[in-house]
């Protein structure tokens, strides 16, 4: 992913902090070592699930920070992958099958 594209994706993160300061919240969490940078997580994901990223959300679930990534695979399938934002480990993968 090009740097400009990665920045556009991170700017679309779901608001987590009060006042919708999502970008600042995510940047602070990365600086504190609480989560991995989005670019690093996307690079890890690309190794096993190459494709074009459509949307990324950063959410908190039961105290765990989770990146939710929607992407279109190289063969045209739409998938949503949930990753542990601290480790990049895939937690869940759903394929959109509207056929």
């Amino acid at each position: 992913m090009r740097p400009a594209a990665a920045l556009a994706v991170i700017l679309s993160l779901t608001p987590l902090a009060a006042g919708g300061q999502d970008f600042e919240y995510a940047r602070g969490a990365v600086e504190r070592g609480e989560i991995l940078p989005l670019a690093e997580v996307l690079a890890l994901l690309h190794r096993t699930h190459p494709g074009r990223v459509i949307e990324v959300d950063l959410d908190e679930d039961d105290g765990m920070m989770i990146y939710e990534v929607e992407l279109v695979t190289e063969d045209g399938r739409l998938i949503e992958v949930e990753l542990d934002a601290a480790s990049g480990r895939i937690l869940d993968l759903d394929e959109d099958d509207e056929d």
Side-chain angles (χ1 to χ4, degrees), residues 41-42 44-46 48-50 55-57 66-73 78-84 88-95:
V41 171
L42 293 178
L44 291 170
L45 178 60
H46 186 73
T48 57
H49 297 85
E55 182 178 347
V56 176
D57 292 324
I66 298 172
Y67 282 115
E68 294 178 359
V69 180
E70 280 188 31
L71 63 93
V72 177
T73 64
L78 177 64
I79 62 173
E80 182 176 313
V81 185
E82 292 185 3
L83 303 112
D84 179 339
R89 181 176 57 94
I90 294 175
L91 303 171
D92 191 32
L93 187 141
D94 289 321
E95 185 171 340

Side-chain angles (χ1 to χ4, degrees), residues 31-52:
E31 289 172 355
R32 291 186 301 273
E34 297 171 0
I35 63 173
L36 295 173
L38 179 59
E40 188 174 329
V41 171
L42 293 178
L44 291 170
L45 178 60
H46 186 73
R47 290 181 193 160
T48 57
H49 297 85
R52 184 170 52 93

